[in-house]
Amino acid sequence: MSLQIIQYPHPTLRHPSRPLKKVDAELRKIIDEMWELMYEHEGVGLAANQVDLPYRLFVANPTGERESKETEQVFINPVLSGGRGQEEDEEGCLSIPGVRAPVVRNATIKVQAYDLSGNEIEAEAEGLMARILQHETDHLDGRLFIDRLSPTHVSAIEEQLEEFELVFHSKRETGEMPTDAEVAARLKELERLRT
């Protein structure tokens, strides 16, 4: 399987991910590919549905540096709780490259998840890591950062979003992009395998 980062408005980005029931060698290989893609595209986090997979899983490294292995974390079946405070900061997304806008998020957040070895992760995060956890968990719920923008900020990026929509629809017309029904069938089959 060769993964690619899918771009807005691909339907998988709006598909709520399903909790994983099993971690196997193929999933480990998928996660390795996700790390590669994340670093290649200069990101700090990447959710499974950004690579067209319906699994409740994301990878994150707040340094964004391939060499910083000690700060890499895999979050399987994450659940966020106890958000406190609010901070506004600029966000972007590897599925909407080149588009950035200010997003208000909780300043601190608790996460409960599993790592790749099946160990439970329970942590409280703040700053950039709190933002990454919220941004990536939104992805798993089928939400994008643009859904959290004020009307003013949405209108500022509207033309850029329309460009992505035009490219997507023209790929659909030429058959380069599967139909919604084909995407849904593929996701259902993938869910059957691991969720």
Side-chain angles (χ1 to χ4, degrees):
M1 177 184 288
S2 182
L3 300 179
Q4 286 185 325
I5 294 176
I6 56 173
Q7 292 189 351
Y8 172 83
H10 194 292
T12 303
L13 293 171
R14 296 301 189 180
H15 183 81
S17 301
R18 298 277 299 276
L20 280 161
K21 287 196 179 135
K22 71 175 196 180
V23 172
D24 54 17
E26 189 184 12
L27 189 73
R28 289 173 192 277
K29 197 168 171 287
I30 285 168
I31 290 168
D32 286 344
E33 278 192 60
M34 286 175 67
W35 284 121
E36 283 306 307
L37 283 169
M38 187 191 88
Y39 291 128
E40 185 186 319
H41 294 270
E42 299 177 3
V44 289
L46 187 65
N49 50 352
Q50 289 182 273
V51 291
D52 206 10
L53 295 172
Y55 307 134
R56 208 157 176 81
L57 142 84
F58 65 83
V59 298
N61 182 349
T63 70
E65 293 170 18
R66 196 185 296 264
E67 299 73 38
S68 302
K69 294 285 181 206
E70 71 285 352
T71 50
E72 288 184 349
Q73 281 188 283
V74 175
F75 293 87
I76 296 172
N77 301 342
V79 176
L80 300 185
S81 63
R84 291 197 319 273
Q86 287 201 323
E87 283 181 355
E88 184 177 75
D89 206 350
E90 198 171 66
E91 284 186 28
C93 178
L94 298 181
S95 291
I96 320 174
V99 176
R100 299 189 67 77
V103 180
V104 175
R105 298 221 185 246
N106 287 123
T108 64
I109 197 88
K110 289 181 180 151
V111 62
Q112 191 174 11
Y114 292 93
D115 67 14
L116 209 42
S117 306
N119 303 312
E120 195 168 0
I121 300 166
E122 276 198 61
E124 187 166 41
E126 59 183 20
L128 179 59
M129 194 61 197
R131 186 165 290 277
I132 294 168
L133 290 171
Q134 293 170 84
H135 179 108
E136 301 306 333
T137 302
D138 268 0
H139 271 303
L140 302 182
D141 295 335
R143 288 187 81 175
L144 298 170
F145 84 96
I146 55 175
D147 302 338
R148 293 190 174 274
L149 301 181
S150 69
T152 310
H153 291 124
V154 169
S155 63
I157 60 166
E158 217 157 12
E159 282 183 23
Q160 288 171 287
L161 295 180
E162 284 169 7
E163 284 290 315
F164 282 99
E165 290 163 10
L166 282 170
V167 168
F168 181 81
H169 294 301
S170 82
K171 283 184 176 176
R172 273 256 163 104
E173 284 169 17
T174 60
E176 282 178 73
M177 193 67 68
T179 65
D180 283 359
E182 289 166 337
V183 170
R186 184 179 159 277
L187 295 177
K188 196 175 179 72
E189 178 56 24
L190 289 168
E191 285 169 351
R192 196 184 58 75
L193 292 173
R194 287 197 181 83
T195 66

